[in-house]
Amino acid sequence: MIHETIGSVGHLFVIVSFVTALLATFAYFKSTQAANEIENDWKMTARVLFGLHFISVIVVAASLFVIIYNHYFEYHYAFTHSSLQLPTMFMISCYWEGQEGSFLLWIFWQAVLGLLLMIKNPKWESPVMTVFALVQTFLTSMILGVIIPWIDLKVGSSPFLLLREAQPDLPVWSMQPNFIPKDGRGLNPLLQNYWMVIHPPTLFLGFALTLVPFAYLIAGLWKKKLTEWVLPALPWALFAAGVLGIGIMMGAYWAYETLNFGGYWNWDPVENASLMPWLAGTALLHSALVVERRHALVTWTILLAILTFSLSLVGTFV
């Protein structure tokens, strides 16, 4: 029996998460433009929308895990990344082995950080969350998997595609339209390691954290507060550099222990993709301290905040 319901629920809530993030962006933008009383109304609306977005992301994440954990191999994602032989620990790793799962992991971390930002600093909430929700809209579009027929454009890649939808040209569909593989391809043997369980979530949390100083920067430029944004962004920049550094050290030890790199570092493209935002983020941290104490290096700090987040985007796509 093909379990289409769970995939339909997952795909529906991907759309809901995209729409709510987009509407939250609009509501937060309007709150920055409105007078005090109307601003509060728009802000409350935006908070509700972002809360709904967070709930939608949780439902999407849970739906995909149900598919993987229950071995629903009629789904392309489960068939490609998991198998019956994998223990639960490595089935968790299957979650972010694929590109769609990696994006979903990043979306989840940013949804959590967005909730924290709404609580942490209400003075900067509207402009910061406008940027935050806009980036969240972009990331959610990466797993949307919607085709716009009149311009023949596919937006994103859905993790809830059935195998027959992902590979419609296979001869088996003409003989057995409801064919379900008995087992999946499984996780790459090199990735069947406990580091695969903890390393990617740590690294993607670091990537997600680089958005926070960037959002404060854009908010500061938007409101013509060229240095005031640094103080609230500083703890987040420190947290981002620390988490990314821990993630990189995890990856280095994993490479030495399992991947036969011949050392802790081999200048692999994936290693470089995580190192570059950490270097930029560490430089941002130091220059932000100079701005806060001496009001110098303002332009350099702005460029570093942009560069750190941009390199995180590149690293995630890699």
Side-chain angles (χ1 to χ4, degrees), residues 53-133:
H53 168 74
F54 176 77
I55 293 170
S56 301
V57 170
I58 295 297
V59 174
V60 173
S63 300
L64 184 57
F65 185 73
V66 166
I67 288 172
I68 294 171
Y69 185 79
N70 290 290
H71 306 298
Y72 293 161
F73 296 126
E74 60 266 41
Y75 287 93
H76 182 256
Y77 200 89
F79 172 74
T80 305
H81 301 292
S82 68
S83 68
L84 294 171
Q85 290 74 36
L86 290 176
T88 302
M89 179 174 68
F90 295 148
M91 281 197 289
I92 295 172
S93 303
C94 296
Y95 199 100
W96 39 75
E97 186 194 21
Q99 186 183 59
E100 297 88 349
S102 296
F103 274 117
L104 186 52
L105 178 61
W106 196 9
I107 291 166
F108 167 76
W109 279 132
Q110 287 198 173
V112 172
L113 293 173
L115 291 180
L116 292 176
L117 282 171
M118 287 194 297
I119 301 168
K120 185 70 176 176
N121 201 339
K123 177 183 175 183
W124 286 85
E125 180 184 347
S126 292
V128 167
M129 287 302 297
T130 301
V131 179
F132 217 88

Side-chain angles (χ1 to χ4, degrees), residues 206-225:
F207 286 149
L209 281 164
T210 63
L211 172 59
V212 183
F214 176 78
Y216 272 109
L217 162 66
I218 299 301
L221 295 177
W222 185 0
K223 295 299 180 180
K224 296 181 172 57
K225 297 179 179 179

Side-chain angles (χ1 to χ4, degrees), residues 226-283:
L226 297 183
T227 58
E228 290 91 333
W229 65 272
V230 174
L231 182 60
L234 196 53
W236 295 99
L238 177 60
F239 192 22
V243 172
L244 263 178
I246 292 170
I248 290 170
M249 287 188 288
M250 285 180 176
Y253 188 79
W254 180 17
Y256 180 78
E257 180 186 62
T258 303
L259 301 181
N260 299 319
F261 277 15
Y264 289 100
W265 198 265
N266 201 43
W267 299 106
D268 179 86
V270 177
E271 292 178 321
N272 294 340
S274 60
L275 176 65
M276 298 310 293
W278 179 80
L279 290 175
T282 305

